[in-house]
Amino acid sequence: MKSDHIKTLVQDPAVGSGVTVAGWLRTRRDSSGFSFLEVNDGSCLANIQVIADKNLANYESEIKKLTTGCSIVVRGELKESPAKGQRVEILADSIEVVGWADPEHYPLQKKRHSFEFLREIAHLRPRTNALGGVARVRSRLSYAIHEFFQRQGFHQIHTPVITTSDCEGAGEMFQVVTEQELNEGSPQSDGINSFFGRRAGLTVSGQLQAEVFAQALGSVYTFGPTFRAENSHTSRHLAEFWMLEPEMAFCNLDCNMDLAEEMLKYLLKDVVEHCQEDMALFDKFIEKGLIDKLRHVIDNDFVRVSYSDAVEELLKSGRRFEFPVSWGVDLQSEHERYLTEEAYRLPLIVTDYPASIKPFYMRVNDDPTTVAAMDILVAGIGEIVGGSQREERHDVLLGRMQEAGIDEEEYQWYLDLRRYGTTPHSGFGLGFERLVQFVTGMHNIRETIPFPRTPGFAPC
Ligand code: 4AD
Ligand code: MG
């Protein structure tokens, strides 16, 4: 059915014209001789007010029985609204009830519900102001990512979801087996998938395959779902999340950091500009000062500091951290947050981590105990981006793989890229939900993805 979006009616109203709105009832208020209906169609945060006169044919039989959550189609005339807080309203000529929502059972009431409760009704939570807003902001950010990279001549690569390489080497892959294997008893203990004839799993990163295309198309990006069987119950981890991974040939670590900083600023600016109504809601109810926080990031240079200097900073802070700090340990969220929120008070790019705590593909520095890694840390979250310059020297890479106990036979294709026309190249991964979290101020990452998957939780 062709209907008018409330967003258009509210932002650019053609007063006096006939309109059709199809949406869900938020509230009904009866007055003498008519009812006010607040309708939302999801096109924007705002509802539109509908005046339903008692002379409508189904006024007593249906309209006066409408409750929150019912779906209706309203046809009528758009009028200037005499009431405060809205420019226009609809004087209904007809209201068709499409779907009832039994108020005895419909779980969304007018009051505010906790996010924990809403997670239990994942199929209905997008109908709330906050979760609807997150979905719209997420959609806009996804669009802006494509716009940013396409404008700069990057090509999108659809890297595989099923893969036979564990990019991060952290042992967090979900293995893929066939139904037949399961029906015939347990899958083989070595995990060999009978369909592929080798171990296969869900991707933990599209980077290695993106590297293949960067070594042919120059600048590419992949943006898709990523899976990690991490047993993390934190507010920043999901078992299924989306990652954006650009990869560039002929690009060193500085070029990589410049791109990541430019991209983050572009995305924040875009969303502040294009999602004003939803952003104002988050600023008011989710994180006070949110928009100022984003502007602070947009308007200032990120601080770039080496891992060694960051460790010094942590040691001299005099802070008692739950995880003690010393050179060589991985930075924990509490360290990351101290650095970006208190020590530097700006987004921070930490570079040159110890080789021993980073994956095999990162380029070994001249020292040679560190690698050309870079993580971007932001307030409230910690690591939002992880990237590096890749090891382009065949023999050094081979050495790192052997140290890490990686079967070089399985990675011949990856080594070949260093054998035939190798280039210095770099890339990074942006955790898309962490970006949405930072932008919306949502406390828990589970509110930033339509259907969160975490240990013990995957309802629909
Ligand atoms: O730092 P990570 O593990 O880097 C990579 O996977 C590289 N292969 C990326 C690259 O260089 N192309 O992950 C990148 C980002 C992290 O900074 C974080 O924002 C996000 O992905 N991330 C998660 N987000 C939600 N839940 C999880 N379990 C995440 N693990 C990583
Ligand atoms: Mg990382």
Side-chain angles (χ1 to χ4, degrees), residues 167-168 204-208 226 228 230 232 236-247 358 361-362 375-376 383-388 390 427-434 445:
C167 175
E168 296 304 298
V204 295
S205 159
Q207 177 198 321
L208 303 189
T226 308
R228 294 191 186 177
E230 259 174 299
S232 302
R236 311 173 318 134
H237 287 91
L238 292 163
E240 175 177 322
F241 62 99
W242 281 58
M243 204 189 335
L244 162 78
E245 297 181 274
E247 190 69 36
K358 288 293 186 185
Y361 55 72
M362 293 193 179
D375 279 6
I376 302 186
E383 180 190 341
I384 192 164
V385 163
S388 65
R390 321 307 188 189
F428 62 84
L430 165 74
F432 188 54
E433 285 72 22
R434 291 196 188 170
I445 198 166

mmCIF file of all heavy atoms in Angstrom, residues 167-168 204-208 226 228 230 232 236-247 358 361-362 375-376 383-388 390 427-434 445, ligand 1:
data_model
loop_
_atom_site.group_PDB
_atom_site.id
_atom_site.type_symbol
_atom_site.label_atom_id
_atom_site.label_comp_id
_atom_site.label_asym_id
_atom_site.label_seq_id
_atom_site.Cartn_x
_atom_site.Cartn_y
_atom_site.Cartn_z
ATOM 1 N N CYS A 167 41.809 -15.992 11.154
ATOM 2 C CA CYS A 167 42.632 -14.791 10.992
ATOM 3 C C CYS A 167 43.303 -14.362 12.287
ATOM 4 O O CYS A 167 44.493 -14.086 12.328
ATOM 5 C CB CYS A 167 41.738 -13.679 10.455
ATOM 6 S SG CYS A 167 42.513 -12.092 10.320
ATOM 7 N N GLU A 168 42.529 -14.302 13.361
ATOM 8 C CA GLU A 168 43.084 -13.745 14.594
ATOM 9 C C GLU A 168 43.845 -14.787 15.413
ATOM 10 O O GLU A 168 44.546 -14.451 16.352
ATOM 11 C CB GLU A 168 41.980 -13.105 15.427
ATOM 12 C CG GLU A 168 41.324 -11.913 14.742
ATOM 13 C CD GLU A 168 42.336 -10.835 14.354
ATOM 14 O OE1 GLU A 168 42.979 -10.281 15.257
ATOM 15 O OE2 GLU A 168 42.494 -10.560 13.151
ATOM 16 N N VAL A 204 36.052 -14.974 11.666
ATOM 17 C CA VAL A 204 36.295 -14.052 12.789
ATOM 18 C C VAL A 204 36.769 -12.701 12.262
ATOM 19 O O VAL A 204 36.872 -11.730 13.011
ATOM 20 C CB VAL A 204 37.335 -14.595 13.796
ATOM 21 C CG1 VAL A 204 36.819 -15.846 14.493
ATOM 22 C CG2 VAL A 204 38.682 -14.861 13.120
ATOM 23 N N SER A 205 37.051 -12.649 10.967
ATOM 24 C CA SER A 205 37.504 -11.412 10.322
ATOM 25 C C SER A 205 37.651 -11.678 8.839
ATOM 26 O O SER A 205 38.106 -12.754 8.438
ATOM 27 C CB SER A 205 38.858 -10.992 10.908
ATOM 28 O OG SER A 205 39.529 -10.126 10.019
ATOM 29 N N GLY A 206 37.287 -10.711 8.018
ATOM 30 C CA GLY A 206 37.434 -10.867 6.568
ATOM 31 C C GLY A 206 38.774 -10.350 6.061
ATOM 32 O O GLY A 206 39.010 -10.271 4.850
ATOM 33 N N GLN A 207 39.652 -10.020 7.009
ATOM 34 C CA GLN A 207 40.894 -9.343 6.619
ATOM 35 C C GLN A 207 41.745 -10.103 5.609
ATOM 36 O O GLN A 207 42.206 -9.535 4.618
ATOM 37 C CB GLN A 207 41.715 -9.065 7.874
ATOM 38 C CG GLN A 207 43.064 -8.427 7.566
ATOM 39 C CD GLN A 207 44.016 -8.548 8.728
ATOM 40 O OE1 GLN A 207 43.607 -8.419 9.869
ATOM 41 N NE2 GLN A 207 45.292 -8.778 8.442
ATOM 42 N N LEU A 208 41.994 -11.378 5.871
ATOM 43 C CA LEU A 208 42.950 -12.089 5.010
ATOM 44 C C LEU A 208 42.442 -12.127 3.572
ATOM 45 O O LEU A 208 43.209 -11.969 2.625
ATOM 46 C CB LEU A 208 43.202 -13.499 5.548
ATOM 47 C CG LEU A 208 43.722 -13.590 6.985
ATOM 48 C CD1 LEU A 208 44.142 -15.021 7.308
ATOM 49 C CD2 LEU A 208 44.874 -12.637 7.254
ATOM 50 N N THR A 226 30.467 -11.033 11.646
ATOM 51 C CA THR A 226 31.694 -11.648 12.140
ATOM 52 C C THR A 226 31.322 -12.413 13.399
ATOM 53 O O THR A 226 30.439 -11.969 14.137
ATOM 54 C CB THR A 226 32.684 -10.519 12.490
ATOM 55 O OG1 THR A 226 32.793 -9.661 11.370
ATOM 56 C CG2 THR A 226 34.044 -11.039 12.869
ATOM 57 N N ARG A 228 32.485 -14.640 16.913
ATOM 58 C CA ARG A 228 33.535 -15.047 17.851
ATOM 59 C C ARG A 228 32.929 -15.756 19.051
ATOM 60 O O ARG A 228 32.062 -15.193 19.737
ATOM 61 C CB ARG A 228 34.355 -13.831 18.311
ATOM 62 C CG ARG A 228 35.131 -13.241 17.152
ATOM 63 C CD ARG A 228 36.160 -12.228 17.543
ATOM 64 N NE ARG A 228 36.712 -11.661 16.314
ATOM 65 C CZ ARG A 228 37.592 -10.705 16.248
ATOM 66 N NH1 ARG A 228 38.074 -10.182 17.363
ATOM 67 N NH2 ARG A 228 38.027 -10.263 15.082
ATOM 68 N N GLU A 230 33.680 -16.056 21.945
ATOM 69 C CA GLU A 230 34.365 -15.532 23.127
ATOM 70 C C GLU A 230 33.417 -15.681 24.299
ATOM 71 O O GLU A 230 32.268 -15.248 24.195
ATOM 72 C CB GLU A 230 34.570 -14.032 22.949
ATOM 73 C CG GLU A 230 35.921 -13.606 22.531
ATOM 74 C CD GLU A 230 35.932 -12.095 22.238
ATOM 75 O OE1 GLU A 230 35.201 -11.660 21.337
ATOM 76 O OE2 GLU A 230 36.671 -11.392 22.914
ATOM 77 N N SER A 232 32.678 -13.945 26.680
ATOM 78 C CA SER A 232 32.717 -12.646 27.362
ATOM 79 C C SER A 232 31.313 -12.190 27.688
ATOM 80 O O SER A 232 30.464 -12.139 26.809
ATOM 81 C CB SER A 232 33.350 -11.593 26.458
ATOM 82 O OG SER A 232 34.627 -11.977 26.088
ATOM 83 N N ARG A 236 30.546 -4.918 26.048
ATOM 84 C CA ARG A 236 31.176 -4.534 24.784
ATOM 85 C C ARG A 236 31.402 -5.715 23.850
ATOM 86 O O ARG A 236 32.036 -5.579 22.824
ATOM 87 C CB ARG A 236 32.540 -3.868 25.040
ATOM 88 C CG ARG A 236 32.529 -2.770 26.089
ATOM 89 C CD ARG A 236 33.933 -2.300 26.397
ATOM 90 N NE ARG A 236 34.832 -3.447 26.496
ATOM 91 C CZ ARG A 236 36.018 -3.514 25.915
ATOM 92 N NH1 ARG A 236 36.446 -2.511 25.188
ATOM 93 N NH2 ARG A 236 36.771 -4.578 26.067
ATOM 94 N N HIS A 237 30.945 -6.898 24.245
ATOM 95 C CA HIS A 237 31.212 -8.084 23.422
ATOM 96 C C HIS A 237 29.937 -8.768 22.950
ATOM 97 O O HIS A 237 28.998 -8.941 23.717
ATOM 98 C CB HIS A 237 32.034 -9.113 24.206
ATOM 99 C CG HIS A 237 33.460 -8.703 24.379
ATOM 100 N ND1 HIS A 237 33.883 -7.986 25.464
ATOM 101 C CD2 HIS A 237 34.543 -8.894 23.595
ATOM 102 C CE1 HIS A 237 35.195 -7.759 25.338
ATOM 103 N NE2 HIS A 237 35.612 -8.290 24.217
ATOM 104 N N LEU A 238 29.950 -9.185 21.701
ATOM 105 C CA LEU A 238 28.876 -9.987 21.134
ATOM 106 C C LEU A 238 29.508 -11.211 20.481
ATOM 107 O O LEU A 238 30.677 -11.166 20.076
ATOM 108 C CB LEU A 238 28.132 -9.189 20.059
ATOM 109 C CG LEU A 238 27.319 -7.989 20.537
ATOM 110 C CD1 LEU A 238 26.990 -7.071 19.365
ATOM 111 C CD2 LEU A 238 26.039 -8.464 21.215
ATOM 112 N N ALA A 239 28.733 -12.281 20.352
ATOM 113 C CA ALA A 239 29.249 -13.460 19.661
ATOM 114 C C ALA A 239 29.089 -13.287 18.146
ATOM 115 O O ALA A 239 29.814 -13.886 17.361
ATOM 116 C CB ALA A 239 28.513 -14.709 20.123
ATOM 117 N N GLU A 240 28.123 -12.466 17.748
ATOM 118 C CA GLU A 240 27.944 -12.119 16.334
ATOM 119 C C GLU A 240 27.906 -10.601 16.253
ATOM 120 O O GLU A 240 27.069 -9.975 16.903
ATOM 121 C CB GLU A 240 26.631 -12.705 15.796
ATOM 122 C CG GLU A 240 26.342 -12.280 14.366
ATOM 123 C CD GLU A 240 25.069 -12.929 13.807
ATOM 124 O OE1 GLU A 240 24.812 -14.107 14.109
ATOM 125 O OE2 GLU A 240 24.344 -12.245 13.076
ATOM 126 N N PHE A 241 28.844 -10.041 15.526
ATOM 127 C CA PHE A 241 28.867 -8.584 15.374
ATOM 128 C C PHE A 241 29.281 -8.243 13.952
ATOM 129 O O PHE A 241 29.707 -9.121 13.208
ATOM 130 C CB PHE A 241 29.816 -7.942 16.397
ATOM 131 C CG PHE A 241 31.261 -8.348 16.275
ATOM 132 C CD1 PHE A 241 32.178 -7.536 15.627
ATOM 133 C CD2 PHE A 241 31.700 -9.551 16.802
ATOM 134 C CE1 PHE A 241 33.521 -7.913 15.515
ATOM 135 C CE2 PHE A 241 33.043 -9.947 16.688
ATOM 136 C CZ PHE A 241 33.943 -9.120 16.041
ATOM 137 N N TRP A 242 29.112 -7.001 13.601
ATOM 138 C CA TRP A 242 29.483 -6.576 12.250
ATOM 139 C C TRP A 242 30.802 -5.828 12.313
ATOM 140 O O TRP A 242 31.035 -5.042 13.225
ATOM 141 C CB TRP A 242 28.388 -5.688 11.644
ATOM 142 C CG TRP A 242 27.234 -6.490 11.133
ATOM 143 C CD1 TRP A 242 26.458 -7.354 11.862
ATOM 144 C CD2 TRP A 242 26.749 -6.541 9.800
ATOM 145 N NE1 TRP A 242 25.514 -7.928 11.053
ATOM 146 C CE2 TRP A 242 25.660 -7.437 9.779
ATOM 147 C CE3 TRP A 242 27.103 -5.899 8.605
ATOM 148 C CZ2 TRP A 242 24.940 -7.721 8.620
ATOM 149 C CZ3 TRP A 242 26.385 -6.172 7.455
ATOM 150 C CH2 TRP A 242 25.316 -7.081 7.464
ATOM 151 N N MET A 243 31.641 -6.113 11.332
ATOM 152 C CA MET A 243 32.923 -5.424 11.292
ATOM 153 C C MET A 243 33.143 -4.803 9.929
ATOM 154 O O MET A 243 32.826 -5.414 8.910
ATOM 155 C CB MET A 243 34.068 -6.390 11.631
ATOM 156 C CG MET A 243 35.258 -5.633 12.169
ATOM 157 S SD MET A 243 36.821 -6.488 12.428
ATOM 158 C CE MET A 243 36.474 -8.153 12.664
ATOM 159 N N LEU A 244 33.640 -3.588 9.952
ATOM 160 C CA LEU A 244 34.047 -2.926 8.720
ATOM 161 C C LEU A 244 35.563 -3.060 8.623
ATOM 162 O O LEU A 244 36.270 -2.702 9.563
ATOM 163 C CB LEU A 244 33.684 -1.438 8.790
ATOM 164 C CG LEU A 244 34.453 -0.615 7.761
ATOM 165 C CD1 LEU A 244 33.842 -0.781 6.395
ATOM 166 C CD2 LEU A 244 34.524 0.829 8.169
ATOM 167 N N GLU A 245 36.050 -3.563 7.507
ATOM 168 C CA GLU A 245 37.498 -3.741 7.373
ATOM 169 C C GLU A 245 38.007 -3.208 6.026
ATOM 170 O O GLU A 245 37.868 -3.885 5.004
ATOM 171 C CB GLU A 245 37.855 -5.228 7.508
ATOM 172 C CG GLU A 245 37.513 -5.787 8.874
ATOM 173 C CD GLU A 245 37.881 -7.256 9.003
ATOM 174 O OE1 GLU A 245 37.058 -8.108 8.621
ATOM 175 O OE2 GLU A 245 38.989 -7.533 9.468
ATOM 176 N N PRO A 246 38.562 -2.005 6.041
ATOM 177 C CA PRO A 246 39.227 -1.537 4.828
ATOM 178 C C PRO A 246 40.637 -2.118 4.737
ATOM 179 O O PRO A 246 41.246 -2.430 5.762
ATOM 180 C CB PRO A 246 39.312 -0.008 5.023
ATOM 181 C CG PRO A 246 38.872 0.267 6.403
ATOM 182 C CD PRO A 246 38.594 -0.995 7.120
ATOM 183 N N GLU A 247 41.127 -2.257 3.537
ATOM 184 C CA GLU A 247 42.481 -2.787 3.335
ATOM 185 C C GLU A 247 43.087 -2.060 2.133
ATOM 186 O O GLU A 247 42.440 -1.956 1.093
ATOM 187 C CB GLU A 247 42.403 -4.299 3.059
ATOM 188 C CG GLU A 247 43.728 -5.009 3.058
ATOM 189 C CD GLU A 247 44.388 -5.090 4.443
ATOM 190 O OE1 GLU A 247 43.684 -5.253 5.464
ATOM 191 O OE2 GLU A 247 45.631 -4.984 4.491
ATOM 192 N N LYS A 358 50.179 -9.838 19.697
ATOM 193 C CA LYS A 358 49.412 -9.506 18.489
ATOM 194 C C LYS A 358 49.532 -10.629 17.452
ATOM 195 O O LYS A 358 50.489 -11.391 17.453
ATOM 196 C CB LYS A 358 49.920 -8.174 17.911
ATOM 197 C CG LYS A 358 49.537 -6.947 18.748
ATOM 198 C CD LYS A 358 48.036 -6.699 18.731
ATOM 199 C CE LYS A 358 47.651 -5.402 19.430
ATOM 200 N NZ LYS A 358 46.193 -5.219 19.528
ATOM 201 N N TYR A 361 50.097 -11.699 11.461
ATOM 202 C CA TYR A 361 50.148 -10.953 10.198
ATOM 203 C C TYR A 361 50.659 -9.515 10.356
ATOM 204 O O TYR A 361 50.830 -8.810 9.383
ATOM 205 C CB TYR A 361 48.768 -10.948 9.531
ATOM 206 C CG TYR A 361 47.645 -10.405 10.422
ATOM 207 C CD1 TYR A 361 47.567 -9.053 10.710
ATOM 208 C CD2 TYR A 361 46.691 -11.248 10.969
ATOM 209 C CE1 TYR A 361 46.564 -8.554 11.530
ATOM 210 C CE2 TYR A 361 45.679 -10.766 11.780
ATOM 211 C CZ TYR A 361 45.627 -9.412 12.063
ATOM 212 O OH TYR A 361 44.645 -8.911 12.871
ATOM 213 N N MET A 362 50.863 -9.065 11.595
ATOM 214 C CA MET A 362 51.260 -7.663 11.772
ATOM 215 C C MET A 362 52.754 -7.464 11.481
ATOM 216 O O MET A 362 53.581 -8.310 11.820
ATOM 217 C CB MET A 362 50.930 -7.213 13.192
ATOM 218 C CG MET A 362 49.429 -7.168 13.445
ATOM 219 S SD MET A 362 49.030 -6.309 14.956
ATOM 220 C CE MET A 362 47.245 -6.419 14.944
ATOM 221 N N ASP A 375 45.598 0.598 17.654
ATOM 222 C CA ASP A 375 44.239 0.469 18.191
ATOM 223 C C ASP A 375 43.712 1.867 18.470
ATOM 224 O O ASP A 375 44.457 2.703 18.992
ATOM 225 C CB ASP A 375 44.241 -0.315 19.518
ATOM 226 C CG ASP A 375 44.292 -1.826 19.303
ATOM 227 O OD1 ASP A 375 44.446 -2.263 18.140
ATOM 228 O OD2 ASP A 375 44.194 -2.561 20.305
ATOM 229 N N ILE A 376 42.453 2.106 18.145
ATOM 230 C CA ILE A 376 41.855 3.403 18.495
ATOM 231 C C ILE A 376 40.940 3.208 19.694
ATOM 232 O O ILE A 376 40.080 2.318 19.699
ATOM 233 C CB ILE A 376 41.091 4.018 17.305
ATOM 234 C CG1 ILE A 376 42.043 4.178 16.116
ATOM 235 C CG2 ILE A 376 40.483 5.367 17.710
ATOM 236 C CD1 ILE A 376 41.467 4.910 14.927
ATOM 237 N N GLU A 383 38.617 0.114 23.150
ATOM 238 C CA GLU A 383 38.984 -0.169 21.755
ATOM 239 C C GLU A 383 37.761 -0.184 20.836
ATOM 240 O O GLU A 383 36.835 -0.967 21.030
ATOM 241 C CB GLU A 383 39.702 -1.527 21.687
ATOM 242 C CG GLU A 383 40.102 -1.881 20.271
ATOM 243 C CD GLU A 383 40.592 -3.325 20.131
ATOM 244 O OE1 GLU A 383 40.962 -3.947 21.145
ATOM 245 O OE2 GLU A 383 40.578 -3.812 18.984
ATOM 246 N N ILE A 384 37.815 0.648 19.817
ATOM 247 C CA ILE A 384 36.730 0.663 18.828
ATOM 248 C C ILE A 384 37.263 0.211 17.467
ATOM 249 O O ILE A 384 36.525 -0.322 16.640
ATOM 250 C CB ILE A 384 36.067 2.063 18.770
ATOM 251 C CG1 ILE A 384 34.767 2.049 17.987
ATOM 252 C CG2 ILE A 384 36.998 3.123 18.217
ATOM 253 C CD1 ILE A 384 33.890 3.267 18.215
ATOM 254 N N VAL A 385 38.572 0.436 17.249
ATOM 255 C CA VAL A 385 39.223 0.034 16.002
ATOM 256 C C VAL A 385 40.501 -0.724 16.352
ATOM 257 O O VAL A 385 41.217 -0.340 17.271
ATOM 258 C CB VAL A 385 39.595 1.283 15.162
ATOM 259 C CG1 VAL A 385 40.620 0.944 14.088
ATOM 260 C CG2 VAL A 385 38.365 1.910 14.525
ATOM 261 N N GLY A 386 40.760 -1.802 15.610
ATOM 262 C CA GLY A 386 42.046 -2.494 15.727
ATOM 263 C C GLY A 386 42.605 -2.687 14.336
ATOM 264 O O GLY A 386 41.896 -3.164 13.446
ATOM 265 N N GLY A 387 43.849 -2.275 14.120
ATOM 266 C CA GLY A 387 44.403 -2.414 12.778
ATOM 267 C C GLY A 387 45.912 -2.535 12.811
ATOM 268 O O GLY A 387 46.527 -2.588 13.875
ATOM 269 N N SER A 388 46.494 -2.581 11.631
ATOM 270 C CA SER A 388 47.951 -2.702 11.560
ATOM 271 C C SER A 388 48.438 -2.531 10.134
ATOM 272 O O SER A 388 47.663 -2.616 9.185
ATOM 273 C CB SER A 388 48.395 -4.089 12.047
ATOM 274 O OG SER A 388 47.907 -5.091 11.171
ATOM 275 N N ARG A 390 50.522 -4.673 7.535
ATOM 276 C CA ARG A 390 50.687 -6.121 7.433
ATOM 277 C C ARG A 390 52.135 -6.470 7.091
ATOM 278 O O ARG A 390 52.822 -5.706 6.408
ATOM 279 C CB ARG A 390 49.754 -6.701 6.356
ATOM 280 C CG ARG A 390 48.362 -6.103 6.282
ATOM 281 C CD ARG A 390 47.633 -6.115 7.612
ATOM 282 N NE ARG A 390 46.226 -5.698 7.432
ATOM 283 C CZ ARG A 390 45.402 -5.457 8.428
ATOM 284 N NH1 ARG A 390 45.810 -5.527 9.690
ATOM 285 N NH2 ARG A 390 44.149 -5.118 8.198
ATOM 286 N N GLY A 427 45.513 -2.037 6.995
ATOM 287 C CA GLY A 427 44.062 -1.992 7.122
ATOM 288 C C GLY A 427 43.667 -1.994 8.577
ATOM 289 O O GLY A 427 44.526 -2.064 9.473
ATOM 290 N N PHE A 428 42.382 -1.929 8.790
ATOM 291 C CA PHE A 428 41.901 -1.964 10.178
ATOM 292 C C PHE A 428 40.494 -2.528 10.229
ATOM 293 O O PHE A 428 39.832 -2.682 9.187
ATOM 294 C CB PHE A 428 41.958 -0.569 10.828
ATOM 295 C CG PHE A 428 41.099 0.485 10.161
ATOM 296 C CD1 PHE A 428 39.745 0.619 10.464
ATOM 297 C CD2 PHE A 428 41.652 1.364 9.233
ATOM 298 C CE1 PHE A 428 38.964 1.592 9.863
ATOM 299 C CE2 PHE A 428 40.869 2.356 8.611
ATOM 300 C CZ PHE A 428 39.528 2.465 8.936
ATOM 301 N N GLY A 429 40.056 -2.849 11.438
ATOM 302 C CA GLY A 429 38.685 -3.329 11.646
ATOM 303 C C GLY A 429 37.974 -2.406 12.617
ATOM 304 O O GLY A 429 38.494 -2.109 13.696
ATOM 305 N N LEU A 430 36.819 -1.918 12.191
ATOM 306 C CA LEU A 430 35.985 -1.095 13.081
ATOM 307 C C LEU A 430 34.837 -1.965 13.567
ATOM 308 O O LEU A 430 34.087 -2.527 12.752
ATOM 309 C CB LEU A 430 35.431 0.109 12.315
ATOM 310 C CG LEU A 430 34.268 0.864 12.980
ATOM 311 C CD1 LEU A 430 34.767 1.699 14.157
ATOM 312 C CD2 LEU A 430 33.549 1.768 11.978
ATOM 313 N N GLY A 431 34.697 -2.099 14.875
ATOM 314 C CA GLY A 431 33.563 -2.839 15.423
ATOM 315 C C GLY A 431 32.314 -1.983 15.257
ATOM 316 O O GLY A 431 32.169 -0.944 15.897
ATOM 317 N N PHE A 432 31.417 -2.430 14.373
ATOM 318 C CA PHE A 432 30.284 -1.566 14.012
ATOM 319 C C PHE A 432 29.372 -1.315 15.209
ATOM 320 O O PHE A 432 28.895 -0.203 15.419
ATOM 321 C CB PHE A 432 29.514 -2.197 12.846
ATOM 322 C CG PHE A 432 28.445 -1.304 12.274
ATOM 323 C CD1 PHE A 432 28.735 -0.016 11.847
ATOM 324 C CD2 PHE A 432 27.139 -1.751 12.153
ATOM 325 C CE1 PHE A 432 27.749 0.814 11.324
ATOM 326 C CE2 PHE A 432 26.144 -0.938 11.618
ATOM 327 C CZ PHE A 432 26.449 0.345 11.209
ATOM 328 N N GLU A 433 29.134 -2.341 16.017
ATOM 329 C CA GLU A 433 28.247 -2.148 17.187
ATOM 330 C C GLU A 433 28.901 -1.233 18.218
ATOM 331 O O GLU A 433 28.221 -0.486 18.909
ATOM 332 C CB GLU A 433 27.877 -3.482 17.834
ATOM 333 C CG GLU A 433 26.850 -4.273 17.024
ATOM 334 C CD GLU A 433 27.426 -4.854 15.749
ATOM 335 O OE1 GLU A 433 28.655 -5.025 15.670
ATOM 336 O OE2 GLU A 433 26.640 -5.149 14.820
ATOM 337 N N ARG A 434 30.217 -1.322 18.333
ATOM 338 C CA ARG A 434 30.872 -0.397 19.274
ATOM 339 C C ARG A 434 30.742 1.038 18.775
ATOM 340 O O ARG A 434 30.613 1.973 19.564
ATOM 341 C CB ARG A 434 32.331 -0.791 19.488
ATOM 342 C CG ARG A 434 32.429 -2.087 20.259
ATOM 343 C CD ARG A 434 33.811 -2.323 20.815
ATOM 344 N NE ARG A 434 33.878 -3.676 21.372
ATOM 345 C CZ ARG A 434 34.980 -4.270 21.766
ATOM 346 N NH1 ARG A 434 36.134 -3.627 21.690
ATOM 347 N NH2 ARG A 434 34.944 -5.489 22.264
ATOM 348 N N ILE A 445 26.159 -3.014 24.619
ATOM 349 C CA ILE A 445 26.268 -3.273 23.176
ATOM 350 C C ILE A 445 25.073 -4.086 22.663
ATOM 351 O O ILE A 445 24.744 -4.042 21.482
ATOM 352 C CB ILE A 445 27.612 -3.980 22.872
ATOM 353 C CG1 ILE A 445 27.967 -3.876 21.391
ATOM 354 C CG2 ILE A 445 27.589 -5.439 23.350
ATOM 355 C CD1 ILE A 445 29.402 -4.233 21.072
HETATM 356 O O1 4AD B 1 40.917 -5.996 16.989
HETATM 357 P P1 4AD B 1 40.210 -7.032 16.165
HETATM 358 O O2 4AD B 1 40.180 -8.416 16.668
HETATM 359 O O3 4AD B 1 40.892 -6.946 14.733
HETATM 360 C C1 4AD B 1 40.661 -7.780 13.692
HETATM 361 O O4 4AD B 1 39.853 -8.656 13.625
HETATM 362 C C2 4AD B 1 41.488 -7.404 12.476
HETATM 363 N N1 4AD B 1 41.535 -8.573 11.585
HETATM 364 C C3 4AD B 1 40.913 -6.190 11.819
HETATM 365 C C4 4AD B 1 41.698 -5.731 10.629
HETATM 366 O O5 4AD B 1 42.814 -5.285 10.776
HETATM 367 N N2 4AD B 1 41.150 -5.845 9.429
HETATM 368 O O6 4AD B 1 38.699 -6.571 15.922
HETATM 369 C C5 4AD B 1 38.432 -5.309 15.330
HETATM 370 C C6 4AD B 1 37.336 -4.589 16.087
HETATM 371 C C7 4AD B 1 37.678 -4.298 17.547
HETATM 372 O O7 4AD B 1 38.428 -3.127 17.661
HETATM 373 C C8 4AD B 1 36.291 -4.140 18.158
HETATM 374 O O8 4AD B 1 35.787 -2.840 17.909
HETATM 375 C C9 4AD B 1 35.471 -5.130 17.347
HETATM 376 O O9 4AD B 1 36.164 -5.398 16.161
HETATM 377 N N3 4AD B 1 35.250 -6.372 18.094
HETATM 378 C C10 4AD B 1 34.089 -6.726 18.681
HETATM 379 N N4 4AD B 1 32.913 -6.095 18.758
HETATM 380 C C11 4AD B 1 31.904 -6.720 19.414
HETATM 381 N N5 4AD B 1 32.011 -7.926 19.982
HETATM 382 C C12 4AD B 1 33.181 -8.609 19.932
HETATM 383 N N6 4AD B 1 33.260 -9.834 20.482
HETATM 384 C C13 4AD B 1 34.282 -8.009 19.254
HETATM 385 N N7 4AD B 1 35.554 -8.396 19.015
HETATM 386 C C14 4AD B 1 36.120 -7.394 18.301
#
